Amino acid sequence: MSGAPPTLPATRLTAWSLPRWLVPLSSVVGLLALFEVLSKTGVIRPDELPAPTTIFKALVDEFDSGTASARAWETLQGWALGFGIATLVGIPAGILIGSSRLAYRLVRLIIEFLRPIPPVAVLPLAVLLWGTGIEMKTYLVAISAFFPILFQALYGVQDVDPVARDTVRAYGLSPAAQFRHVVIPSAAPYIATGLRLSASIALIVAVAQEIIVGSTGIGYAINQVRNANDISGMYAYILLAGLMGLVITVVFRAIEARVLHWHASQRQEAVS
Amino acid sequence: MIARLKSLALELMLPVLLLVLWWVVSAGSTSPYFPSLKDIFQTFANTWLFERVGTDLVPSLLRFGAGLSLALVAGIALGVWLGLRPLARRAADPIIDFFRAMPQVALVPVAIIFLGIGDWMKIAIIAFGSVWPVLLNTIDGVRSVDPNMLEMVRVYGVPRSERIRRVVLPAASPQIFVGARLALSIALILMVVSEMVASTNGLGYFVLLSQQTFAIPEMWSGIILLGLIGYAVNLIFVVFEHRMLAWHRGWRSAALGQPVDSKPRRGATGPAAKPDNLVERTPQTAHTEVPECSK
């Protein structure tokens, strides 16, 4: 299939034999240099947006004092616990509901109603029940990650190729073997996509509640240094949050690519 | 007819049962955090019919609508532009990746620095946070447009604006809708968060204030209203998507030798629609979500 259509300009670039990473790298460096100059010359007020070098230096300082790594760890902890719970509950629940027509129809409306609720809406309730500690963070992250995972797992199971399902049934494979060889492989790409999407939503929610109610972590640090009028420190923590999101996305995209790679090749064989 | 009623009854059974259970169990509730469902409904009626509609609901919806519209317009326009220019796209890639991956709520303090705490700050943060999935999916969608078709309309001398309107945008639209749906949920989150952090009105403000002043039934009513809004907005989106992509489902079903839109086994887009989305992307461009089957 045509993931990247063979376009002419791409061929031309290879003819120049530029390394692939050169263009992205130079655009990032160029943008940073532009901000550096604008900030240093005062076109952008440095107390609104400090120069990138100042922000990097602030980030290094925060790491030197140990604060940055502590805050990052706190955010990561709440994220990982909540996301882990959501995964452990969401995947089996999705597979179970997806496997049974009756179960699906019983809970369909409930899922359809609960899924689009913005997870931060229940933040005040969570604060009442659990205070502002790690329990609350875990709970909120878990419910925000739960629905995308549940939904994708459910959908993946339902989308099993009926011919494949009937074939293994006709060949008399045991239900366990049917599940292992047909249902799981076909649902895996959907689940992987669900995991990636909910991982990033979970991080948004974790940081959001640190900013709003001040449970400790990167979001809390952003507020704290801002209140201390340390603007470059604030940008440093925002950069840290961004880097964290980037790492999480890259990891989950790699997982997804592995599962999808299998899926794509499998389908191409089936088609040809 | 009877079969349809039966099926409806089956689907409604559990939700109704749960509501009744909630009603009965919470009836004599003395817990301050879990008021009786009756109280919550009463408070809901008192608060949202229609006393605070003008002060909190309308401002929230306006910010949400303005922010999301900006994100859609900017994301699609920029996405088409970048999608047709491989060099520019590769230059923009790392920047887009960074902002898509970052928890956008962390930018709320920056928005406050630049724009204060007024409506524009909220609109800006909603727009800036939710533009990235639209942009990424538009680029992906534009890149997967059949290059032969593009060449052909160019050879036939179709003007550029017409090429984009009649070939590029329709071909990319299924992917654009996937991005728009992701943007929708991020925009809702950012609406609530920006109102919770710095605001003097709006739903997020109302819910958080109610909690802080221990007006618990009010808090519950606000949470329920946010849920209803999330549901309604999603429903409107699905109906719109269903109408806009009707041709797409028909075309795909025909291509796969299936009857056109005759009773899809389940869901709006039909089973045939799903695997395509998974297959047609390389890992580098895998930002897309499987379109969902809501109806």
Side-chain angles (χ1 to χ4, degrees), chain B residues 70-260:
Chain B
L70 275 176
L72 288 174
V73 171
I76 294 172
L78 198 59
V80 169
W81 194 83
L82 286 174
L84 295 172
R85 283 168 191 75
L87 190 66
R89 179 180 53 74
R90 278 178 40 213
D93 252 356
I95 296 153
I96 299 174
D97 275 346
F98 180 78
F99 282 110
R100 168 68 183 106
M102 89 173 304
Q104 292 92 354
V105 287
L107 292 169
V108 173
V110 180
I112 295 176
I113 287 183
F114 279 100
L115 296 165
I117 61 164
D119 284 337
W120 282 110
M121 179 275 280
K122 282 148 203 131
I123 293 171
I125 195 75
I126 293 170
F128 190 81
S130 53
V131 74
W132 308 104
V134 183
L135 181 58
L136 272 172
N137 281 286
T138 306
I139 294 175
D140 273 7
V142 170
R143 283 182 69 201
S144 64
V145 176
D146 182 359
N148 296 326
M149 183 140 37
L150 272 181
E151 283 300 317
M152 192 189 76
V153 286
R154 195 175 298 156
V155 169
Y156 274 100
V158 179
R160 199 185 152 67
S161 59
E162 284 291 291
R163 289 205 303 263
I164 288 175
R165 205 163 68 85
R166 292 185 189 271
V167 178
V168 176
L169 277 179
S173 60
Q175 192 88 51
I176 296 176
F177 271 101
V178 172
R181 180 191 281 265
L182 284 168
L184 197 73
S185 50
I186 295 178
L188 266 179
I189 292 179
L190 287 171
M191 177 193 93
V192 177
V193 170
S194 66
E195 288 173 354
M196 282 181 172
V197 173
S199 191
T200 50
N201 65 358
L203 284 170
Y205 167 79
F206 174 82
V207 173
L208 194 65
L209 185 76
S210 303
Q211 181 248 314
Q212 284 161 352
T213 55
F214 288 94
I216 305 304
E218 279 79 2
M219 178 196 82
W220 275 97
S221 79
I223 294 177
I224 290 175
L225 184 63
L226 277 172
L228 289 173
I229 290 174
Y231 184 73
V233 167
N234 210 52
L235 198 68
I236 294 170
F237 179 83
V238 169
V239 170
F240 184 65
E241 181 186 32
H242 191 78
R243 291 193 61 153
M244 292 289 284
L245 295 185
W247 65 271
H248 179 68
R249 283 191 312 281
W251 173 80
R252 185 131 63 181
S253 306
L256 289 166
Q258 287 167 355
V260 175

Side-chain angles (χ1 to χ4, degrees), chain A:
Chain A
M1 298 294 265
S2 59
T7 41
L8 285 172
T11 345
R12 203 172 64 212
L13 272 178
T14 8
W16 291 347
S17 70
L18 284 172
R20 276 202 72 78
W21 45 262
L22 194 69
V23 175
L25 184 74
S26 48
S27 80
V28 172
V29 172
L31 193 69
L32 288 177
L34 179 72
F35 271 113
E36 185 78 30
V37 171
L38 289 179
S39 185
K40 282 274 155 70
T41 53
V43 178
I44 301 174
R45 286 173 51 188
D47 56 339
E48 286 183 346
L49 181 59
T53 46
T54 322
I55 297 175
F56 286 133
K57 200 177 156 301
L59 187 59
V60 172
D61 287 347
E62 293 291 328
F63 267 108
D64 276 347
S65 68
T67 348
S69 36
R71 295 292 99 85
W73 171 241
E74 284 150 4
T75 299
L76 200 65
Q77 223 178 0
W79 174 85
L81 277 173
F83 183 73
I85 293 174
T87 309
L88 288 181
V89 181
I91 295 180
I95 291 177
L96 274 179
I97 297 170
S99 310
S100 153
R101 193 87 191 121
L102 180 71
Y104 173 65
R105 292 182 57 193
L106 280 175
V107 298
R108 190 180 75 92
L109 287 179
I110 298 176
I111 296 177
E112 290 283 312
F113 181 75
L114 291 181
R115 196 169 51 94
I117 296 180
V120 281
V122 294
L123 173 68
L125 181 65
V127 172
L128 284 182
L129 296 178
W130 281 286
T132 57
I134 181 97
E135 297 91 347
M136 188 273 287
K137 197 188 285 183
T138 306
Y139 166 80
L140 209 64
V141 168
I143 56 164
S144 62
F146 174 71
F147 281 102
I149 298 177
L150 173 83
F151 200 84
Q152 292 287 101
L154 192 160
Y155 199 83
V157 169
Q158 287 190 338
D159 205 44
V160 172
D161 181 359
V163 176
R165 200 175 44 206
D166 293 346
T167 309
V168 289
R169 199 176 289 158
Y171 274 98
L173 261 71
S174 69
Q178 284 177 30
F179 188 72
R180 210 174 83 82
H181 293 294
V182 178
V183 177
I184 290 296
S186 123
Y190 290 86
I191 295 176
T193 306
L195 289 179
R196 173 173 57 81
L197 290 172
S198 58
S200 81
I201 297 269
L203 187 66
I204 294 181
V205 170
V207 174
Q209 44 108 343
E210 289 163 6
I211 290 181
I212 297 167
V213 298
S215 60
T216 179
I218 292 183
Y220 170 73
I222 292 175
N223 270 347
Q224 207 184 25
V225 290
R226 184 167 70 102
N227 292 338
N229 246 333
D230 175 8
I231 297 300
S232 41
M234 181 191 90
Y235 279 98
Y237 276 109
I238 293 173
L239 179 66
L240 183 59
L243 292 176
M244 222 159 119
L246 201 61
V247 170
I248 287 175
T249 306
V250 166
V251 168
F252 279 88
R253 217 184 275 167
I255 296 174
E256 201 184 5
R258 277 191 74 137
V259 188
L260 278 173
H261 178 259
W262 177 91
H263 184 253
S265 59
Q266 194 66 12
R267 272 194 64 81
Q268 269 168 3
E269 274 172 37
V271 168
S272 63

